[in-house]
Amino acid sequence: MPRFLASADLLGTRFSSPALATGFGAHLAIPILRKIAPNEASVANITKEQAIETIKTCLKVLFYRDARSLNKYSLAVISEEGVNLTHGIELENQSWKFADTIRGYGAQTM
């Protein structure tokens, strides 16, 4: 049976793609995912480790975009052997130290 990744919305619109995401991920994570999977044929060359590292990168980008989000997530790897679900994974090497230098939003004190 051929493998594919597809999405259907509430109106019944269906499409297939080598990378799918929802919410902020549809805007911020898809460009990252397309770097390793620009087309359907490229998916066959991606290793499990590459896929997991790319997902971790996407989640880090999404975490920094939403300062109120948690730095923990669950990861499901679906393969021919079954589903491997890992809970409570923390983002690595995160730091908000760069935020001290950002100016331009809200009240400014100089």
Side-chain angles (χ1 to χ4, degrees):
M1 177 146 96
R3 298 178 199 147
F4 67 95
L5 188 59
S7 175
D9 65 14
L10 294 174
L11 298 175
T13 305
R14 188 197 71 81
F15 65 94
S16 179
S17 176
L20 294 173
T22 61
F24 272 139
H27 304 287
L28 301 174
I30 289 294
I32 298 168
L33 294 170
R34 284 184 180 155
K35 284 183 180 178
I36 69 162
N39 54 47
E40 298 284 346
S42 64
V43 175
N45 300 324
I46 300 170
T47 66
K48 176 180 162 182
E49 292 75 22
Q50 285 176 311
I52 290 172
E53 285 305 312
T54 304
I55 292 297
K56 287 180 179 181
T57 300
C58 291
L59 289 170
K60 187 178 279 191
V61 167
L62 292 165
F63 171 75
Y64 282 125
R65 174 59 180 89
D66 185 1
R68 294 181 184 152
S69 63
L70 295 176
N71 64 342
K72 291 185 181 180
Y73 60 93
S74 297
L75 179 69
V77 176
I78 303 168
S79 66
E80 293 173 349
E81 292 81 34
V83 178
N84 181 8
L85 181 60
T86 308
H87 295 286
I89 302 171
E90 286 193 44
L91 291 176
E92 300 169 355
N93 303 322
Q94 55 157 343
S95 172
W96 284 101
K97 291 181 182 180
F98 67 89
D100 290 340
T101 61
I102 297 175
R103 300 283 183 251
Y105 295 99
Q108 299 294 308
T109 57
M110 295 198 193

mmCIF file with all atom_site columns, all heavy atoms in Angstrom, residues 68-93:
data_model
loop_
_atom_site.group_PDB
_atom_site.id
_atom_site.type_symbol
_atom_site.label_atom_id
_atom_site.label_alt_id
_atom_site.label_comp_id
_atom_site.label_asym_id
_atom_site.label_entity_id
_atom_site.label_seq_id
_atom_site.pdbx_PDB_ins_code
_atom_site.Cartn_x
_atom_site.Cartn_y
_atom_site.Cartn_z
_atom_site.occupancy
_atom_site.B_iso_or_equiv
_atom_site.pdbx_formal_charge
_atom_site.auth_seq_id
_atom_site.auth_comp_id
_atom_site.auth_asym_id
_atom_site.auth_atom_id
_atom_site.pdbx_PDB_model_num
ATOM 1   N N   . ARG A 1 68 ? 4.251  32.283 25.775 1.00 0.00 ? 68 ARG A N   1
ATOM 2   C CA  . ARG A 1 68 ? 3.429  31.671 26.826 1.00 0.00 ? 68 ARG A CA  1
ATOM 3   C C   . ARG A 1 68 ? 3.313  30.158 26.676 1.00 0.00 ? 68 ARG A C   1
ATOM 4   O O   . ARG A 1 68 ? 2.632  29.517 27.457 1.00 0.00 ? 68 ARG A O   1
ATOM 5   C CB  . ARG A 1 68 ? 2.042  32.300 26.829 1.00 0.00 ? 68 ARG A CB  1
ATOM 6   C CG  . ARG A 1 68 ? 2.093  33.751 27.220 1.00 0.00 ? 68 ARG A CG  1
ATOM 7   C CD  . ARG A 1 68 ? 0.725  34.350 27.239 1.00 0.00 ? 68 ARG A CD  1
ATOM 8   N NE  . ARG A 1 68 ? 0.838  35.764 27.529 1.00 0.00 ? 68 ARG A NE  1
ATOM 9   C CZ  . ARG A 1 68 ? -0.009 36.659 27.121 1.00 0.00 ? 68 ARG A CZ  1
ATOM 10  N NH1 . ARG A 1 68 ? -1.050 36.303 26.405 1.00 0.00 ? 68 ARG A NH1 1
ATOM 11  N NH2 . ARG A 1 68 ? 0.155  37.919 27.423 1.00 0.00 ? 68 ARG A NH2 1
ATOM 12  N N   . SER A 1 69 ? 3.943  29.609 25.661 1.00 0.00 ? 69 SER A N   1
ATOM 13  C CA  . SER A 1 69 ? 3.864  28.165 25.453 1.00 0.00 ? 69 SER A CA  1
ATOM 14  C C   . SER A 1 69 ? 4.819  27.433 26.398 1.00 0.00 ? 69 SER A C   1
ATOM 15  O O   . SER A 1 69 ? 5.741  28.021 26.949 1.00 0.00 ? 69 SER A O   1
ATOM 16  C CB  . SER A 1 69 ? 4.192  27.823 23.999 1.00 0.00 ? 69 SER A CB  1
ATOM 17  O OG  . SER A 1 69 ? 5.516  28.191 23.706 1.00 0.00 ? 69 SER A OG  1
ATOM 18  N N   . LEU A 1 70 ? 4.571  26.155 26.552 1.00 0.00 ? 70 LEU A N   1
ATOM 19  C CA  . LEU A 1 70 ? 5.433  25.331 27.397 1.00 0.00 ? 70 LEU A CA  1
ATOM 20  C C   . LEU A 1 70 ? 6.635  24.858 26.599 1.00 0.00 ? 70 LEU A C   1
ATOM 21  O O   . LEU A 1 70 ? 6.566  24.715 25.380 1.00 0.00 ? 70 LEU A O   1
ATOM 22  C CB  . LEU A 1 70 ? 4.664  24.119 27.916 1.00 0.00 ? 70 LEU A CB  1
ATOM 23  C CG  . LEU A 1 70 ? 3.506  24.427 28.850 1.00 0.00 ? 70 LEU A CG  1
ATOM 24  C CD1 . LEU A 1 70 ? 2.775  23.138 29.200 1.00 0.00 ? 70 LEU A CD1 1
ATOM 25  C CD2 . LEU A 1 70 ? 3.980  25.121 30.104 1.00 0.00 ? 70 LEU A CD2 1
ATOM 26  N N   . ASN A 1 71 ? 7.728  24.595 27.292 1.00 0.00 ? 71 ASN A N   1
ATOM 27  C CA  . ASN A 1 71 ? 8.934  24.111 26.622 1.00 0.00 ? 71 ASN A CA  1
ATOM 28  C C   . ASN A 1 71 ? 9.000  22.585 26.631 1.00 0.00 ? 71 ASN A C   1
ATOM 29  O O   . ASN A 1 71 ? 10.048 22.007 26.430 1.00 0.00 ? 71 ASN A O   1
ATOM 30  C CB  . ASN A 1 71 ? 10.185 24.707 27.263 1.00 0.00 ? 71 ASN A CB  1
ATOM 31  C CG  . ASN A 1 71 ? 10.363 24.258 28.698 1.00 0.00 ? 71 ASN A CG  1
ATOM 32  O OD1 . ASN A 1 71 ? 9.424  23.785 29.332 1.00 0.00 ? 71 ASN A OD1 1
ATOM 33  N ND2 . ASN A 1 71 ? 11.554 24.429 29.216 1.00 0.00 ? 71 ASN A ND2 1
ATOM 34  N N   . LYS A 1 72 ? 7.869  21.932 26.860 1.00 0.00 ? 72 LYS A N   1
ATOM 35  C CA  . LYS A 1 72 ? 7.798  20.470 26.839 1.00 0.00 ? 72 LYS A CA  1
ATOM 36  C C   . LYS A 1 72 ? 6.789  20.036 25.795 1.00 0.00 ? 72 LYS A C   1
ATOM 37  O O   . LYS A 1 72 ? 5.811  20.720 25.532 1.00 0.00 ? 72 LYS A O   1
ATOM 38  C CB  . LYS A 1 72 ? 7.371  19.929 28.203 1.00 0.00 ? 72 LYS A CB  1
ATOM 39  C CG  . LYS A 1 72 ? 8.406  20.111 29.276 1.00 0.00 ? 72 LYS A CG  1
ATOM 40  C CD  . LYS A 1 72 ? 7.966  19.454 30.563 1.00 0.00 ? 72 LYS A CD  1
ATOM 41  C CE  . LYS A 1 72 ? 9.011  19.668 31.631 1.00 0.00 ? 72 LYS A CE  1
ATOM 42  N NZ  . LYS A 1 72 ? 8.624  19.050 32.884 1.00 0.00 ? 72 LYS A NZ  1
ATOM 43  N N   . TYR A 1 73 ? 7.048  18.879 25.198 1.00 0.00 ? 73 TYR A N   1
ATOM 44  C CA  . TYR A 1 73 ? 6.146  18.356 24.184 1.00 0.00 ? 73 TYR A CA  1
ATOM 45  C C   . TYR A 1 73 ? 6.210  16.836 24.176 1.00 0.00 ? 73 TYR A C   1
ATOM 46  O O   . TYR A 1 73 ? 7.067  16.220 24.806 1.00 0.00 ? 73 TYR A O   1
ATOM 47  C CB  . TYR A 1 73 ? 6.483  18.918 22.801 1.00 0.00 ? 73 TYR A CB  1
ATOM 48  C CG  . TYR A 1 73 ? 7.889  18.600 22.334 1.00 0.00 ? 73 TYR A CG  1
ATOM 49  C CD1 . TYR A 1 73 ? 8.148  17.480 21.562 1.00 0.00 ? 73 TYR A CD1 1
ATOM 50  C CD2 . TYR A 1 73 ? 8.960  19.422 22.674 1.00 0.00 ? 73 TYR A CD2 1
ATOM 51  C CE1 . TYR A 1 73 ? 9.430  17.188 21.139 1.00 0.00 ? 73 TYR A CE1 1
ATOM 52  C CE2 . TYR A 1 73 ? 10.245 19.143 22.245 1.00 0.00 ? 73 TYR A CE2 1
ATOM 53  C CZ  . TYR A 1 73 ? 10.472 18.024 21.480 1.00 0.00 ? 73 TYR A CZ  1
ATOM 54  O OH  . TYR A 1 73 ? 11.739 17.741 21.071 1.00 0.00 ? 73 TYR A OH  1
ATOM 55  N N   . SER A 1 74 ? 5.280  16.222 23.459 1.00 0.00 ? 74 SER A N   1
ATOM 56  C CA  . SER A 1 74 ? 5.269  14.777 23.238 1.00 0.00 ? 74 SER A CA  1
ATOM 57  C C   . SER A 1 74 ? 5.606  14.529 21.779 1.00 0.00 ? 74 SER A C   1
ATOM 58  O O   . SER A 1 74 ? 5.243  15.314 20.905 1.00 0.00 ? 74 SER A O   1
ATOM 59  C CB  . SER A 1 74 ? 3.897  14.185 23.558 1.00 0.00 ? 74 SER A CB  1
ATOM 60  O OG  . SER A 1 74 ? 3.583  14.374 24.913 1.00 0.00 ? 74 SER A OG  1
ATOM 61  N N   . LEU A 1 75 ? 6.300  13.443 21.522 1.00 0.00 ? 75 LEU A N   1
ATOM 62  C CA  . LEU A 1 75 ? 6.722  13.102 20.164 1.00 0.00 ? 75 LEU A CA  1
ATOM 63  C C   . LEU A 1 75 ? 6.256  11.692 19.839 1.00 0.00 ? 75 LEU A C   1
ATOM 64  O O   . LEU A 1 75 ? 6.540  10.752 20.586 1.00 0.00 ? 75 LEU A O   1
ATOM 65  C CB  . LEU A 1 75 ? 8.251  13.194 20.044 1.00 0.00 ? 75 LEU A CB  1
ATOM 66  C CG  . LEU A 1 75 ? 8.848  12.836 18.694 1.00 0.00 ? 75 LEU A CG  1
ATOM 67  C CD1 . LEU A 1 75 ? 8.477  13.893 17.659 1.00 0.00 ? 75 LEU A CD1 1
ATOM 68  C CD2 . LEU A 1 75 ? 10.355 12.710 18.799 1.00 0.00 ? 75 LEU A CD2 1
ATOM 69  N N   . ALA A 1 76 ? 5.545  11.543 18.728 1.00 0.00 ? 76 ALA A N   1
ATOM 70  C CA  . ALA A 1 76 ? 5.097  10.228 18.261 1.00 0.00 ? 76 ALA A CA  1
ATOM 71  C C   . ALA A 1 76 ? 5.832  9.897  16.972 1.00 0.00 ? 76 ALA A C   1
ATOM 72  O O   . ALA A 1 76 ? 5.854  10.703 16.044 1.00 0.00 ? 76 ALA A O   1
ATOM 73  C CB  . ALA A 1 76 ? 3.603  10.221 18.028 1.00 0.00 ? 76 ALA A CB  1
ATOM 74  N N   . VAL A 1 77 ? 6.458  8.734  16.942 1.00 0.00 ? 77 VAL A N   1
ATOM 75  C CA  . VAL A 1 77 ? 7.112  8.239  15.734 1.00 0.00 ? 77 VAL A CA  1
ATOM 76  C C   . VAL A 1 77 ? 6.300  7.035  15.257 1.00 0.00 ? 77 VAL A C   1
ATOM 77  O O   . VAL A 1 77 ? 6.176  6.042  15.978 1.00 0.00 ? 77 VAL A O   1
ATOM 78  C CB  . VAL A 1 77 ? 8.584  7.840  16.006 1.00 0.00 ? 77 VAL A CB  1
ATOM 79  C CG1 . VAL A 1 77 ? 9.205  7.249  14.760 1.00 0.00 ? 77 VAL A CG1 1
ATOM 80  C CG2 . VAL A 1 77 ? 9.371  9.037  16.503 1.00 0.00 ? 77 VAL A CG2 1
ATOM 81  N N   . ILE A 1 78 ? 5.754  7.150  14.054 1.00 0.00 ? 78 ILE A N   1
ATOM 82  C CA  . ILE A 1 78 ? 4.919  6.093  13.498 1.00 0.00 ? 78 ILE A CA  1
ATOM 83  C C   . ILE A 1 78 ? 5.718  5.393  12.404 1.00 0.00 ? 78 ILE A C   1
ATOM 84  O O   . ILE A 1 78 ? 6.185  6.028  11.463 1.00 0.00 ? 78 ILE A O   1
ATOM 85  C CB  . ILE A 1 78 ? 3.618  6.674  12.923 1.00 0.00 ? 78 ILE A CB  1
ATOM 86  C CG1 . ILE A 1 78 ? 2.874  7.442  14.020 1.00 0.00 ? 78 ILE A CG1 1
ATOM 87  C CG2 . ILE A 1 78 ? 2.745  5.574  12.323 1.00 0.00 ? 78 ILE A CG2 1
ATOM 88  C CD1 . ILE A 1 78 ? 1.747  8.296  13.516 1.00 0.00 ? 78 ILE A CD1 1
ATOM 89  N N   . SER A 1 79 ? 5.891  4.090  12.553 1.00 0.00 ? 79 SER A N   1
ATOM 90  C CA  . SER A 1 79 ? 6.664  3.314  11.578 1.00 0.00 ? 79 SER A CA  1
ATOM 91  C C   . SER A 1 79 ? 5.962  1.984  11.335 1.00 0.00 ? 79 SER A C   1
ATOM 92  O O   . SER A 1 79 ? 4.900  1.715  11.912 1.00 0.00 ? 79 SER A O   1
ATOM 93  C CB  . SER A 1 79 ? 8.085  3.077  12.099 1.00 0.00 ? 79 SER A CB  1
ATOM 94  O OG  . SER A 1 79 ? 8.051  2.250  13.244 1.00 0.00 ? 79 SER A OG  1
ATOM 95  N N   . GLU A 1 80 ? 6.571  1.163  10.505 1.00 0.00 ? 80 GLU A N   1
ATOM 96  C CA  . GLU A 1 80 ? 6.010  -0.163 10.230 1.00 0.00 ? 80 GLU A CA  1
ATOM 97  C C   . GLU A 1 80 ? 5.965  -1.026 11.496 1.00 0.00 ? 80 GLU A C   1
ATOM 98  O O   . GLU A 1 80 ? 5.151  -1.923 11.602 1.00 0.00 ? 80 GLU A O   1
ATOM 99  C CB  . GLU A 1 80 ? 6.812  -0.849 9.144  1.00 0.00 ? 80 GLU A CB  1
ATOM 100 C CG  . GLU A 1 80 ? 6.679  -0.175 7.802  1.00 0.00 ? 80 GLU A CG  1
ATOM 101 C CD  . GLU A 1 80 ? 7.603  -0.753 6.760  1.00 0.00 ? 80 GLU A CD  1
ATOM 102 O OE1 . GLU A 1 80 ? 8.495  -1.544 7.110  1.00 0.00 ? 80 GLU A OE1 1
ATOM 103 O OE2 . GLU A 1 80 ? 7.435  -0.405 5.576  1.00 0.00 ? 80 GLU A OE2 1
ATOM 104 N N   . GLU A 1 81 ? 6.858  -0.747 12.444 1.00 0.00 ? 81 GLU A N   1
ATOM 105 C CA  . GLU A 1 81 ? 6.887  -1.516 13.691 1.00 0.00 ? 81 GLU A CA  1
ATOM 106 C C   . GLU A 1 81 ? 5.795  -1.094 14.660 1.00 0.00 ? 81 GLU A C   1
ATOM 107 O O   . GLU A 1 81 ? 5.546  -1.760 15.653 1.00 0.00 ? 81 GLU A O   1
ATOM 108 C CB  . GLU A 1 81 ? 8.249  -1.373 14.386 1.00 0.00 ? 81 GLU A CB  1
ATOM 109 C CG  . GLU A 1 81 ? 9.398  -2.024 13.649 1.00 0.00 ? 81 GLU A CG  1
ATOM 110 C CD  . GLU A 1 81 ? 9.938  -1.160 12.520 1.00 0.00 ? 81 GLU A CD  1
ATOM 111 O OE1 . GLU A 1 81 ? 9.934  0.084  12.648 1.00 0.00 ? 81 GLU A OE1 1
ATOM 112 O OE2 . GLU A 1 81 ? 10.349 -1.726 11.499 1.00 0.00 ? 81 GLU A OE2 1
ATOM 113 N N   . GLY A 1 82 ? 5.176  0.064  14.425 1.00 0.00 ? 82 GLY A N   1
ATOM 114 C CA  . GLY A 1 82 ? 4.119  0.545  15.306 1.00 0.00 ? 82 GLY A CA  1
ATOM 115 C C   . GLY A 1 82 ? 4.339  2.004  15.672 1.00 0.00 ? 82 GLY A C   1
ATOM 116 O O   . GLY A 1 82 ? 5.040  2.736  14.988 1.00 0.00 ? 82 GLY A O   1
ATOM 117 N N   . VAL A 1 83 ? 3.751  2.400  16.794 1.00 0.00 ? 83 VAL A N   1
ATOM 118 C CA  . VAL A 1 83 ? 3.814  3.788  17.265 1.00 0.00 ? 83 VAL A CA  1
ATOM 119 C C   . VAL A 1 83 ? 4.659  3.851  18.519 1.00 0.00 ? 83 VAL A C   1
ATOM 120 O O   . VAL A 1 83 ? 4.448  3.083  19.456 1.00 0.00 ? 83 VAL A O   1
ATOM 121 C CB  . VAL A 1 83 ? 2.396  4.334  17.557 1.00 0.00 ? 83 VAL A CB  1
ATOM 122 C CG1 . VAL A 1 83 ? 2.471  5.751  18.102 1.00 0.00 ? 83 VAL A CG1 1
ATOM 123 C CG2 . VAL A 1 83 ? 1.531  4.271  16.319 1.00 0.00 ? 83 VAL A CG2 1
ATOM 124 N N   . ASN A 1 84 ? 5.635  4.768  18.528 1.00 0.00 ? 84 ASN A N   1
ATOM 125 C CA  . ASN A 1 84 ? 6.469  5.004  19.705 1.00 0.00 ? 84 ASN A CA  1
ATOM 126 C C   . ASN A 1 84 ? 6.173  6.420  20.186 1.00 0.00 ? 84 ASN A C   1
ATOM 127 O O   . ASN A 1 84 ? 6.507  7.387  19.514 1.00 0.00 ? 84 ASN A O   1
ATOM 128 C CB  . ASN A 1 84 ? 7.947  4.840  19.355 1.00 0.00 ? 84 ASN A CB  1
ATOM 129 C CG  . ASN A 1 84 ? 8.844  5.045  20.543 1.00 0.00 ? 84 ASN A CG  1
ATOM 130 O OD1 . ASN A 1 84 ? 8.378  5.163  21.673 1.00 0.00 ? 84 ASN A OD1 1
ATOM 131 N ND2 . ASN A 1 84 ? 10.134 5.103  20.310 1.00 0.00 ? 84 ASN A ND2 1
ATOM 132 N N   . LEU A 1 85 ? 5.535  6.557  21.351 1.00 0.00 ? 85 LEU A N   1
ATOM 133 C CA  . LEU A 1 85 ? 5.136  7.845  21.892 1.00 0.00 ? 85 LEU A CA  1
ATOM 134 C C   . LEU A 1 85 ? 5.989  8.177  23.104 1.00 0.00 ? 85 LEU A C   1
ATOM 135 O O   . LEU A 1 85 ? 6.083  7.382  24.033 1.00 0.00 ? 85 LEU A O   1
ATOM 136 C CB  . LEU A 1 85 ? 3.655  7.815  22.270 1.00 0.00 ? 85 LEU A CB  1
ATOM 137 C CG  . LEU A 1 85 ? 3.050  9.087  22.825 1.00 0.00 ? 85 LEU A CG  1
ATOM 138 C CD1 . LEU A 1 85 ? 3.155  10.227 21.816 1.00 0.00 ? 85 LEU A CD1 1
ATOM 139 C CD2 . LEU A 1 85 ? 1.598  8.848  23.209 1.00 0.00 ? 85 LEU A CD2 1
ATOM 140 N N   . THR A 1 86 ? 6.628  9.347  23.066 1.00 0.00 ? 86 THR A N   1
ATOM 141 C CA  . THR A 1 86 ? 7.469  9.807  24.164 1.00 0.00 ? 86 THR A CA  1
ATOM 142 C C   . THR A 1 86 ? 6.881  11.105 24.711 1.00 0.00 ? 86 THR A C   1
ATOM 143 O O   . THR A 1 86 ? 6.649  12.049 23.956 1.00 0.00 ? 86 THR A O   1
ATOM 144 C CB  . THR A 1 86 ? 8.915  10.057 23.687 1.00 0.00 ? 86 THR A CB  1
ATOM 145 O OG1 . THR A 1 86 ? 9.380  8.894  23.015 1.00 0.00 ? 86 THR A OG1 1
ATOM 146 C CG2 . THR A 1 86 ? 9.826  10.373 24.848 1.00 0.00 ? 86 THR A CG2 1
ATOM 147 N N   . HIS A 1 87 ? 6.644  11.137 26.016 1.00 0.00 ? 87 HIS A N   1
ATOM 148 C CA  . HIS A 1 87 ? 6.069  12.321 26.673 1.00 0.00 ? 87 HIS A CA  1
ATOM 149 C C   . HIS A 1 87 ? 7.150  13.104 27.411 1.00 0.00 ? 87 HIS A C   1
ATOM 150 O O   . HIS A 1 87 ? 8.179  12.551 27.802 1.00 0.00 ? 87 HIS A O   1
ATOM 151 C CB  . HIS A 1 87 ? 5.002  11.906 27.689 1.00 0.00 ? 87 HIS A CB  1
ATOM 152 C CG  . HIS A 1 87 ? 3.815  11.250 27.088 1.00 0.00 ? 87 HIS A CG  1
ATOM 153 N ND1 . HIS A 1 87 ? 2.863  11.944 26.389 1.00 0.00 ? 87 HIS A ND1 1
ATOM 154 C CD2 . HIS A 1 87 ? 3.414  9.957  27.087 1.00 0.00 ? 87 HIS A CD2 1
ATOM 155 C CE1 . HIS A 1 87 ? 1.932  11.109 25.981 1.00 0.00 ? 87 HIS A CE1 1
ATOM 156 N NE2 . HIS A 1 87 ? 2.247  9.894  26.389 1.00 0.00 ? 87 HIS A NE2 1
ATOM 157 N N   . GLY A 1 88 ? 6.895  14.385 27.632 1.00 0.00 ? 88 GLY A N   1
ATOM 158 C CA  . GLY A 1 88 ? 7.731  15.201 28.508 1.00 0.00 ? 88 GLY A CA  1
ATOM 159 C C   . GLY A 1 88 ? 9.103  15.552 27.966 1.00 0.00 ? 88 GLY A C   1
ATOM 160 O O   . GLY A 1 88 ? 10.025 15.789 28.735 1.00 0.00 ? 88 GLY A O   1
ATOM 161 N N   . ILE A 1 89 ? 9.258  15.640 26.654 1.00 0.00 ? 89 ILE A N   1
ATOM 162 C CA  . ILE A 1 89 ? 10.542 16.032 26.070 1.00 0.00 ? 89 ILE A CA  1
ATOM 163 C C   . ILE A 1 89 ? 10.683 17.541 26.235 1.00 0.00 ? 89 ILE A C   1
ATOM 164 O O   . ILE A 1 89 ? 9.749  18.293 25.959 1.00 0.00 ? 89 ILE A O   1
ATOM 165 C CB  . ILE A 1 89 ? 10.622 15.651 24.582 1.00 0.00 ? 89 ILE A CB  1
ATOM 166 C CG1 . ILE A 1 89 ? 10.424 14.152 24.406 1.00 0.00 ? 89 ILE A CG1 1
ATOM 167 C CG2 . ILE A 1 89 ? 11.941 16.110 23.977 1.00 0.00 ? 89 ILE A CG2 1
ATOM 168 C CD1 . ILE A 1 89 ? 10.261 13.726 22.967 1.00 0.00 ? 89 ILE A CD1 1
ATOM 169 N N   . GLU A 1 90 ? 11.839 17.993 26.698 1.00 0.00 ? 90 GLU A N   1
ATOM 170 C CA  . GLU A 1 90 ? 12.082 19.426 26.868 1.00 0.00 ? 90 GLU A CA  1
ATOM 171 C C   . GLU A 1 90 ? 12.921 19.970 25.725 1.00 0.00 ? 90 GLU A C   1
ATOM 172 O O   . GLU A 1 90 ? 13.813 19.292 25.223 1.00 0.00 ? 90 GLU A O   1
ATOM 173 C CB  . GLU A 1 90 ? 12.803 19.697 28.185 1.00 0.00 ? 90 GLU A CB  1
ATOM 174 C CG  . GLU A 1 90 ? 11.911 19.557 29.396 1.00 0.00 ? 90 GLU A CG  1
ATOM 175 C CD  . GLU A 1 90 ? 12.542 20.132 30.647 1.00 0.00 ? 90 GLU A CD  1
ATOM 176 O OE1 . GLU A 1 90 ? 13.115 21.233 30.570 1.00 0.00 ? 90 GLU A OE1 1
ATOM 177 O OE2 . GLU A 1 90 ? 12.447 19.476 31.683 1.00 0.00 ? 90 GLU A OE2 1
ATOM 178 N N   . LEU A 1 91 ? 12.629 21.204 25.324 1.00 0.00 ? 91 LEU A N   1
ATOM 179 C CA  . LEU A 1 91 ? 13.447 21.859 24.306 1.00 0.00 ? 91 LEU A CA  1
ATOM 180 C C   . LEU A 1 91 ? 14.860 22.026 24.843 1.00 0.00 ? 91 LEU A C   1
ATOM 181 O O   . LEU A 1 91 ? 15.058 22.367 26.006 1.00 0.00 ? 91 LEU A O   1
ATOM 182 C CB  . LEU A 1 91 ? 12.878 23.227 23.958 1.00 0.00 ? 91 LEU A CB  1
ATOM 183 C CG  . LEU A 1 91 ? 11.553 23.224 23.215 1.00 0.00 ? 91 LEU A CG  1
ATOM 184 C CD1 . LEU A 1 91 ? 11.066 24.654 23.028 1.00 0.00 ? 91 LEU A CD1 1
ATOM 185 C CD2 . LEU A 1 91 ? 11.690 22.556 21.869 1.00 0.00 ? 91 LEU A CD2 1
ATOM 186 N N   . GLU A 1 92 ? 15.828 21.797 23.990 1.00 0.00 ? 92 GLU A N   1
ATOM 187 C CA  . GLU A 1 92 ? 17.230 21.897 24.392 1.00 0.00 ? 92 GLU A CA  1
ATOM 188 C C   . GLU A 1 92 ? 17.810 23.248 23.994 1.00 0.00 ? 92 GLU A C   1
ATOM 189 O O   . GLU A 1 92 ? 17.409 23.845 23.004 1.00 0.00 ? 92 GLU A O   1
ATOM 190 C CB  . GLU A 1 92 ? 18.031 20.776 23.726 1.00 0.00 ? 92 GLU A CB  1
ATOM 191 C CG  . GLU A 1 92 ? 17.547 19.391 24.102 1.00 0.00 ? 92 GLU A CG  1
ATOM 192 C CD  . GLU A 1 92 ? 18.167 18.323 23.232 1.00 0.00 ? 92 GLU A CD  1
ATOM 193 O OE1 . GLU A 1 92 ? 18.889 18.649 22.277 1.00 0.00 ? 92 GLU A OE1 1
ATOM 194 O OE2 . GLU A 1 92 ? 17.908 17.146 23.504 1.00 0.00 ? 92 GLU A OE2 1
ATOM 195 N N   . ASN A 1 93 ? 18.781 23.717 24.783 1.00 0.00 ? 93 ASN A N   1
ATOM 196 C CA  . ASN A 1 93 ? 19.540 24.934 24.477 1.00 0.00 ? 93 ASN A CA  1
ATOM 197 C C   . ASN A 1 93 ? 18.651 26.147 24.234 1.00 0.00 ? 93 ASN A C   1
ATOM 198 O O   . ASN A 1 93 ? 18.895 26.937 23.338 1.00 0.00 ? 93 ASN A O   1
ATOM 199 C CB  . ASN A 1 93 ? 20.448 24.714 23.263 1.00 0.00 ? 93 ASN A CB  1
ATOM 200 C CG  . ASN A 1 93 ? 21.389 23.564 23.469 1.00 0.00 ? 93 ASN A CG  1
ATOM 201 O OD1 . ASN A 1 93 ? 21.905 23.362 24.561 1.00 0.00 ? 93 ASN A OD1 1
ATOM 202 N ND2 . ASN A 1 93 ? 21.603 22.779 22.432 1.00 0.00 ? 93 ASN A ND2 1
#
